[in-house]
Amino acid sequence: VCIHRVRSCSGIRFIKSKYVCVYDKSALKFSHQQRLFRTSAVSCGQIVQFKLSDIGEGITEVTVKEWYIKEGDSVSQFDSICEVQSDKASVTITSRYDGIIRKLHYNLDEIAYVGKPLVDIEIDASKGVASEEDVVETPPMSHEEHTHQEIKGHKTLATPAVRRLAMENNIKLSEVVGTGKDNRILKEDILNYLAKQTGAILPPSPKAEIIPPLPKSETVPAASKDKARKIPVPVSRPIVFSGKDKTEPLTGFHKAMVKTMSAALKIPHFGYCDEIDLTQLVQLREELKPVAQIRGVKLSFMPFFIKAASLGLLQYPILNASLDESCQNVTYKASHNIGVAMDTEQGLIVPNVKNVQVCSVFEIASELNRLQSLGSAGQLGTNDLTGGTFTLSNIGTIGGTYAKPVILPPEVAIGALGKIQVLPRFNRKGEVFKAQIMNVSWSADHRIIDGATMARFSNLWKSYLENPASMLLDLK
Amino acid sequence: MVLQSSLKNCLQLSCILRTPKAGFRSTTSGGLIIQSISNDVYQNLAVEDWIHDHMNLENRQVLFLWRNSPAVVIGRHQNPWQECNLRLLRQKNIKLARRRSGGGTVYHDLGNINLTFFTTRKKYERMENLKLVVKALKALRPQLDVHVTDRYDILLDRHYKISGTAAKLGRTTAYHHCTLLCNADKFILSSVLKSPYKGLKSNATPSVPASVKNLFEEDPSLTCEMLLDAIAEEYATQHQIGHHITLINPADETVLPGISNKTKELQTWEWVYGKTPKFSVSTCLNMVYKDSVLDVKVDMDVKHGRIEVCKIDLPEQWLPPALCSELVKSLTGSKFCSNETTTLAATLLRVCPQDDELQTRWNLLCENMTMLM
């Protein structure tokens, strides 16, 4: 195979070049393509052996690396069939025909030979002549058009179904902007062209397989997935939704969560909610934030919530316990390993801060920073994710006020924190003031925890947070 | 002549790509040199995809110049577990990308330049491109001993590899890209390109390790900018076009419609890891537990980056058999990914009766399992 390097002439040749993002019809031209494919005269229903065409550089054999289709699949002209590799070059082999794949001549990692059959394709009888040239054009064309749409060498990429649609509507394929792969003309392109002709505005296609360059009338590019449509839909045109349900198996982490949550719901839950006035804590945190910053730690509200919970657990250790499977024994856990529910790409992950009972608020904050950065990088270790004894879920960072959290076995209690809202409240003098209010929703295992215990724990926790100075008295 | 970074050039490019006006043809026929303003490996690979899919290269070839912040780039049909130290990559925040061309694994950082030569499929000719690069280097520094091998590498002093090549051929267009080491971090390069994963058996394209050297080591006066400029100049001369580099922004959807989707696709797990050819892991975990060493045989088949088959051979009763079979069941179909395994295992532990002994053993097993991924 001779490969000619083009030396561009100094004179200006009248070249018609093809560009994708052309909106101006007059500038739309198609180029000559000097491909030397043999036009195969095929009859209907025949099985054709599609041979592996020349790769270039004198290469005679390649390795088949991936099949994009399997036997029985239907393919259109220019669909990708397989990926082959030869000496650091990866080549995408595309189909020359429309039809059904009947046989793959090679398995993965086998050597395929140039010029030898790659796949057998059964040409669909009803689709007519499956050659590459755009042969049939009903509307009268100017001589110029003829010159540039000569049978030999001209390529207007479109499946026979699309060509028929164009024919039926008296559309010159050369005037349609192709938005498919390799500028192939799709059905949507014909419809768009029609719409422009009649002045109707079409809604963007709900399926976003390819993001085409948009016609001037639309404002936002790549918005085909955007549900908020800016273009009004005309009444006469029926809206066709071609979306399909998608079923996937549950795998890995999600499969494991099914097991855990099923076990969790066997626990008889009861809920208890309350409202916390965080006005003083908000102020305290503002003062302490820069101090922590200097030490290289980002201080949120969580370290305070966690430490206050631990102080509460010292008084009500039943909330930091575990019930055995047979419900015969209760184990009071010595360590307060308080879990913090974290929202990551994977889903809900609950790493825990170990031994909060001996940690300062600053140490808790520092540990939270570490867990958060590991969590977002997907690098949390098993040790960080296991051994929790009590959990706090800060769902308020996303939103919401009250929640009904699910206890994570083998724990017996969990608290969900809503968002902090600025609300009017009455103070002791009966005056209205601006309060920073947060709601907490507790869930506990009713087999070993009663409502009174939960309420008292919550009150204690609440008092520490509403009056942070009181935490100082009990800090260990 | 160096780079012109004005907005005017970006608009000019969008005009070149869209409407063929007679005025442009005479100046831009034959060739176009573009350079990316981004150092994001995914964005730059997406530009290659975009040009490959959308530009007509019949009468005009394109040279694309780009550099990336630290990243490891594996070939289309390679196995990332086989090629690099994924743990180290995550620790050092080095990105992992899979390109669409074939070939082996390379390490990119800002001390490495990438050149992509776009042509029609018929005019695909790697040797010519590499000879162009060598000619440019010699024009810049005549004393450099650089030459092209028949494996399409460029060697310095007959011994050190300074450039690797890969190519992608589509139906009508093709591209050949290569790296060029100017001043890359060789220490990180060698440590990330060493795979610690044992027991892997795969038909994926293996990389051929080579001794590398930076051009900077040979001549400290060389910089990436100088190399880019020299190559652009040589390309311009050979294609008889003006030495003019047009800057493009790979995030600009108006100039490159559809580019953000291409960028996103290159970052998906399904592309980076899921495209790994089928492979198997067969190894023995040597777990140190309380003064003894436990041998645990592990066999896994991984297809599309997911565990198809999983077998773990533990000493009897070391862990509750029900829990072990749950682990195997959950791992089957799960991504071959350390994070996925860790979170999965931690979640499963909750359904088991708790004791510290069990937890320690469980964590030990899971840590060892994740070391394989």
Side-chain angles (χ1 to χ4, degrees), chain A residues 28-254:
Chain A
L28 225 193
K29 311 252 188 284
F30 283 97
S31 64
H32 281 292
Q33 299 241 11
Q34 301 298 321
R35 306 291 294 274
L36 300 175
F37 280 117
R38 288 169 300 162
T39 53
S40 34
V42 292
S43 54
C44 313
Q46 188 182 344
I47 296 202
V48 171
Q49 286 194 325
F50 174 40
K51 301 200 171 82
L52 180 61
S53 57
D54 182 49
I55 307 283
E57 288 185 336
I59 292 163
T60 52
E61 49 186 60
V62 296
T63 312
V64 177
K65 281 303 200 178
E66 187 173 337
W67 284 109
Y68 293 123
I69 42 84
K70 53 188 189 301
E71 286 171 14
D73 282 350
S74 64
V75 285
S76 304
Q77 194 182 27
F78 310 131
D79 278 352
S80 297
I81 290 211
C82 65
E83 199 76 20
V84 301
Q85 182 167 255
S86 157
D87 191 25
K88 306 184 193 180
S90 190
V91 190
T92 309
I93 307 293
T94 55
S95 175
R96 196 184 300 171
Y97 310 107
D98 293 326
I100 301 174
I101 304 287
R102 285 298 173 215
K103 182 173 177 188
L104 304 182
H105 285 263
Y106 301 101
N107 291 321
L108 284 179
D109 290 321
E110 278 190 340
I111 310 255
Y113 297 93
V114 172
K116 294 271 179 2
L118 184 67
V119 292
D120 288 351
I121 304 179
E122 180 185 310
I123 311 291
D124 189 351
S126 65
K127 290 196 173 166
V129 179
S131 65
E132 299 185 318
E133 288 75 342
D134 185 2
V135 178
V136 185
E137 287 284 298
T138 346
M141 291 182 292
S142 66
H143 178 71
E144 209 188 43
E145 289 294 336
H146 267 301
T147 315
H148 302 296
Q149 284 186 29
E150 284 168 79
I151 306 274
K152 184 171 168 186
H154 169 62
K155 216 166 255 53
T156 307
L157 312 182
T159 62
V162 172
R163 286 188 208 138
R164 204 179 316 127
L165 183 64
M167 229 161 61
E168 286 164 8
N169 288 283
N170 263 340
I171 295 172
K172 272 187 251 173
L173 280 175
S174 59
E175 287 190 8
V176 181
V177 183
T179 61
K181 196 173 188 320
D182 295 329
N183 304 313
R184 195 200 306 205
I185 299 174
L186 307 173
K187 186 171 156 205
E188 284 86 5
D189 301 323
I190 305 281
L191 295 177
N192 273 327
Y193 180 89
L194 268 175
K196 273 188 258 172
Q197 298 265 286
T198 61
I201 301 165
L202 293 169
S205 163
K207 269 194 298 192
E209 314 156 279
I210 308 153
I211 305 298
L214 299 171
K216 270 189 218 146
S217 53
E218 297 201 38
T219 46
V220 182
S224 32
K225 283 194 181 140
D226 189 351
K227 299 281 189 298
R229 293 180 182 179
K230 299 180 183 170
I231 303 165
V233 178
V235 176
S236 54
R237 195 166 178 76
I239 299 172
V240 175
F241 178 64
S242 52
K244 287 199 199 93
D245 288 349
K246 195 168 123 176
T247 306
E248 307 178 322
L250 278 181
T251 59
F253 173 61
H254 296 284

Side-chain angles (χ1 to χ4, degrees), chain A residues 2-10 12-24 27 31-35 37 53-57 59 65-66 68 78 83-95 109 132 155 157 179-183 208 210-214 221-222 225 250-257 259-261 263 322 325 333 346 349-350 354 375 377-383 385-388 391 408-411, chain B residues 15-20 22 25-26 29-30 50 52-56 58-61 76-77 87 89-91 100-104 121-128 150-153 161 164-173 203-205 237-241 253-255 257-258 260-261 275 277 306 326 329-335 338-356 359 362-364 366-367 370:
Chain A
C2 306
I3 297 157
H4 299 283
R5 265 176 294 122
V6 171
R7 295 281 180 201
S8 51
C9 313
S10 51
I12 298 169
R13 281 171 31 196
F14 188 59
I15 303 156
K16 288 196 192 262
S17 309
K18 181 167 65 175
Y19 294 89
V20 173
C21 326
V22 182
Y23 310 143
D24 185 354
S31 64
H32 281 292
Q33 299 241 11
Q34 301 298 321
R35 306 291 294 274
F37 280 117
S53 57
D54 182 49
I55 307 283
E57 288 185 336
I59 292 163
K65 281 303 200 178
E66 187 173 337
Y68 293 123
F78 310 131
E83 199 76 20
V84 301
Q85 182 167 255
S86 157
D87 191 25
K88 306 184 193 180
S90 190
V91 190
T92 309
I93 307 293
T94 55
S95 175
D109 290 321
E132 299 185 318
K155 216 166 255 53
L157 312 182
T179 61
K181 196 173 188 320
D182 295 329
N183 304 313
I210 308 153
I211 305 298
L214 299 171
K225 283 194 181 140
L250 278 181
T251 59
F253 173 61
H254 296 284
K255 221 162 154 178
M257 271 302 264
K259 287 253 160 320
T260 313
M261 286 295 119
S322 188
E325 230 180 338
K333 300 279 180 175
Q346 251 179 323
I349 309 238
V350 191
K354 298 277 194 292
Q379 286 180 19
L380 284 167
T382 43
N383 203 40
L385 291 170
T386 53
T391 300
L408 297 168
E411 298 165 23
Chain B
C15 292
I16 290 168
L17 295 176
R18 290 176 193 204
T19 47
R25 273 201 216 113
S26 50
S29 65
W50 193 94
H52 181 68
D53 288 347
H54 293 299
M55 273 188 85
N56 177 16
E58 260 308 298
N59 303 296
R60 189 176 58 195
Q61 305 187 348
R76 174 70 174 79
H77 309 290
R87 269 197 298 280
L89 257 77
R90 270 181 235 126
Q91 268 170 35
R100 291 191 194 268
S101 57
R121 179 138 159 194
K122 278 183 291 154
K123 291 182 200 146
Y124 163 72
E125 179 49 86
R126 293 181 281 185
M127 211 37 106
E128 289 300 315
D150 50 16
R151 275 201 80 239
Y152 304 104
D153 293 336
K161 184 168 165 176
T165 266
K168 171 92 187 81
L169 286 85
R171 201 175 55 84
T172 53
T173 56
N203 280 332
T205 315
T237 309
Q238 287 196 18
H239 288 78
Q240 293 171 21
I241 55 173
E253 193 75 22
T254 54
V255 176
S260 66
N261 266 37
K275 279 295 183 184
R306 287 179 183 267
E326 273 308 322
K329 264 200 272 178
S330 294
L331 281 174
T332 309
S334 167
K335 290 180 184 169
S338 59
N339 192 38
E340 187 85 5
T341 304
T342 308
T343 50
L344 181 165
T347 311
L348 271 179
L349 187 62
R350 292 186 181 276
V351 300
C352 216
Q354 294 294 291
D355 66 78
D356 289 336
Q359 200 181 299
W362 183 253
N363 285 355
L364 182 64
C366 293
E367 265 159 33
T370 56

Side-chain angles (χ1 to χ4, degrees), chain B residues 7-23:
Chain B
L7 180 64
K8 178 177 165 248
N9 290 324
C10 289
L11 291 176
Q12 207 176 3
L13 176 72
S14 91
C15 292
I16 290 168
L17 295 176
R18 290 176 193 204
T19 47
K21 295 203 175 83

